[in-house]
Amino acid sequence: MENISNIPELALTVVPNSIASDKSSIPVLGLGTAAYPFVASEVAKEAILTAIKVGYRHFDTAAVYQTEPVLGEAIAEALSLGLVKSRDELFVTSKLWCTDAHHHLVLPAIHKTLENLGLEYLDLYLIHWPMSMEPAESYDILFKKEHFLPMDFKSVWEAMEECQKLGLTKAIGVSNFSCKKIEILLSTAKIPPAVNQVEMNPLWQQKKLREFCERKGIIITAYSPLGAKGAPWGTNGVMECETLKQIAEAKRKTLAQVCLRWAYEQGVSVVVKSFNKERMKENMDIFEWELLPEEVDKINQIPQKRGCQASELVSDNGPFKSLEEVWDGDI
Ligand SMILES: NC(=O)c1ccc[n+]([C@@H]2O[C@H](COP(=O)([O-])OP(=O)(O)OC[C@H]3O[C@@H](n4cnc5c(N)ncnc54)[C@H](OP(=O)(O)O)[C@@H]3O)[C@@H](O)[C@H]2O)c1
């Protein structure tokens, strides 16, 4: 078997309010599984199995990505091949889609996710977006404005807490939440979110949100760390950034490695998608070298622009009338 590199872990506070505070951890580097357009199941399954072979132990999926079943199949095969000894060696995240973001639909949704994955528990379950949509029979990654509804944070989060209490997930968290929306959630939460998964890369560094989450003990997971080039939610700007190109050249690293190393040095966990074995390995090779202070300074000076604006969330009758409201001014 190939060399398995050791990916460092970040402490994840699972039940911070309990007396016997249960500590868990999240591997800092995970494999994203959102591919657009969707890829054939066999291709995705083989890619995930390859990722396990080369050493990935943290996997990010979501009900809406349609990769839960293939991730489950890859995990089952990895177990039967002895690539991992037990399911506990893996860290699996999935997410509640907006159509299920209603108090009474959260438990059925996590049960469906677990059934898709063939697992008894998740490591982390996230609210995918801070918005609900009218319940639907099937998942569609395209947002339909006429179905938008404001989310009742209190009751949806109570159901998320129930998922954790029942042992269906070890930790719960949110995704695409601004500081203001986290404050609202925290005002009634009994279990604070362990993680906020958001876009983060050298072109959208999330300094304000990171400082806020650090104060609240919430781990940031960076998605689209390479800018998701070619995806409808992505930008070519990261992979084409001249500053990053120059740093990569000088260090004899790739631009992707510079992005991932930078994110790692910021103390966040990162999920990066690649279904290509060589790029998977390249993306893991970020732990035995570091950026120089002057390189970090240059990255700090890159003009900031959100790649995933999510302007499709703006609608006349939905919860967000403007981009200002989606991101609470952080645009
Ligand atoms: N919570 C949310 O709302 C949300 C939103 C977006 C994403 N996510 C999660 O975050 C994960 C990662 O983000 P992402 O998929 O949006 O974008 P990303 O990881 O920044 O970029 C993925 C793209 O970069 C390519 N790539 C990967 N490694 C590379 C390398 N070393 N050199 C050059 N190209 C490389 C991939 O192609 P190949 O596969 O061909 O290598 C793919 O086209 C997703 O898969 C998903 O799990 C969450």
Side-chain angles (χ1 to χ4, degrees):
M1 200 187 304
E2 300 179 46
N3 276 346
I4 303 292
S5 68
N6 276 330
I7 295 175
E9 306 206 331
L10 281 173
L12 186 74
T13 310
V14 176
V15 193
N17 283 346
S18 83
I19 298 165
S21 192
D22 183 10
K23 297 277 180 183
S24 186
S25 59
I26 179 169
V28 296
L29 185 69
L31 188 86
T33 66
Y36 191 91
F38 293 132
V39 299
S41 303
E42 238 354 86
V43 175
K45 184 185 140 190
E46 274 312 307
I48 296 166
L49 205 53
T50 301
I52 295 176
K53 284 182 188 159
V54 303
Y56 286 80
R57 294 293 179 265
H58 168 185
F59 296 90
D60 183 75
T61 183
V64 80
Y65 299 165
Q66 303 187 14
T67 48
E68 289 174 339
V70 287
L71 174 56
E73 284 169 30
I75 291 173
E77 197 163 326
L79 284 165
S80 73
L81 291 171
L83 299 174
V84 283
K85 289 193 187 65
S86 98
R87 182 265 176 265
D88 303 354
E89 292 176 21
L90 301 174
F91 189 99
V92 178
T93 301
S94 194
K95 312 186 194 85
L96 177 81
W97 188 236
C98 309
T99 49
D100 289 326
H102 304 270
H103 181 82
H104 68 293
L105 295 180
V106 176
L107 272 177
I110 194 172
H111 278 297
K112 180 74 188 145
T113 278
L114 291 171
E115 188 189 317
N116 284 341
L117 286 159
L119 298 179
E120 286 178 1
Y121 69 90
L122 293 175
D123 294 276
L124 180 63
Y125 196 42
L126 305 176
I127 297 180
H128 206 147
W129 285 92
M131 179 186 79
S132 299
M133 291 200 295
E134 279 171 23
E137 289 296 309
S138 58
Y139 298 113
D140 185 350
I141 203 153
L142 301 174
F143 291 101
K144 294 204 178 66
K145 291 185 196 285
E146 61 275 22
H147 296 168
F148 289 178
L149 295 168
M151 181 184 290
D152 178 356
F153 288 136
K154 181 172 184 289
S155 73
V156 172
W157 190 251
E158 271 170 11
M160 295 289 286
E161 291 174 332
E162 192 60 19
C163 294
Q164 182 172 316
K165 285 183 200 145
L166 291 170
L168 301 171
T169 182
K170 292 202 166 174
I172 49 177
V174 294
S175 177
N176 297 302
F177 271 52
S178 64
C179 304
K180 184 175 169 188
K181 291 182 177 70
I182 292 177
E183 286 283 21
I184 297 170
L185 189 131
L186 285 173
S187 69
T188 57
K190 295 190 182 66
I191 302 174
V195 166
N196 186 17
Q197 184 182 117
V198 292
E199 178 190 1
M200 180 181 150
N201 54 52
L203 269 65
W204 188 245
Q205 301 185 9
Q206 296 275 23
K207 285 194 181 132
K208 179 179 156 206
L209 185 68
R210 281 198 275 136
E211 279 168 23
F212 173 85
C213 285
E214 194 175 347
R215 283 202 303 279
K216 302 289 178 186
I218 300 169
I219 287 177
I220 291 279
T221 295
Y223 76 63
S224 303
L226 310 180
K229 185 176 174 178
W233 60 88
T235 166
N236 295 353
V238 177
M239 295 303 279
E240 290 169 7
C241 172
E242 281 307 320
T243 306
L244 296 173
K245 276 186 194 166
Q246 284 163 15
I247 295 172
E249 219 165 279
K251 294 194 91 63
R252 295 177 189 276
K253 300 291 173 195
T254 66
L255 189 150
Q257 288 173 321
V258 170
C259 289
L260 297 170
R261 175 72 205 185
W262 170 80
Y264 170 60
E265 289 185 9
Q266 306 310 303
V268 303
S269 79
V270 187
V271 284
V272 58
K273 180 260 168 188
S274 180
F275 283 178
N276 171 285
K277 184 177 179 180
E278 292 315 311
R279 290 194 282 280
M280 283 178 197
K281 291 204 286 196
E282 176 187 322
N283 294 346
M284 286 177 78
D285 186 11
I286 58 163
F287 299 113
E288 275 156 27
W289 52 276
E290 57 190 29
L291 292 165
L292 301 169
E294 53 269 33
E295 292 164 341
V296 176
D297 281 348
K298 281 187 191 152
I299 294 176
N300 282 338
Q301 285 162 31
I302 294 175
Q304 295 297 290
K305 188 168 192 302
R306 194 183 274 281
C308 179
Q309 297 269 331
S311 48
E312 60 275 29
L313 266 60
V314 175
S315 69
D316 290 342
N317 301 316
F320 308 124
K321 308 279 183 283
S322 65
L323 268 188
E324 282 282 315
E325 289 181 15
V326 176
W327 301 114
D328 296 309
D330 210 1
I331 42 177

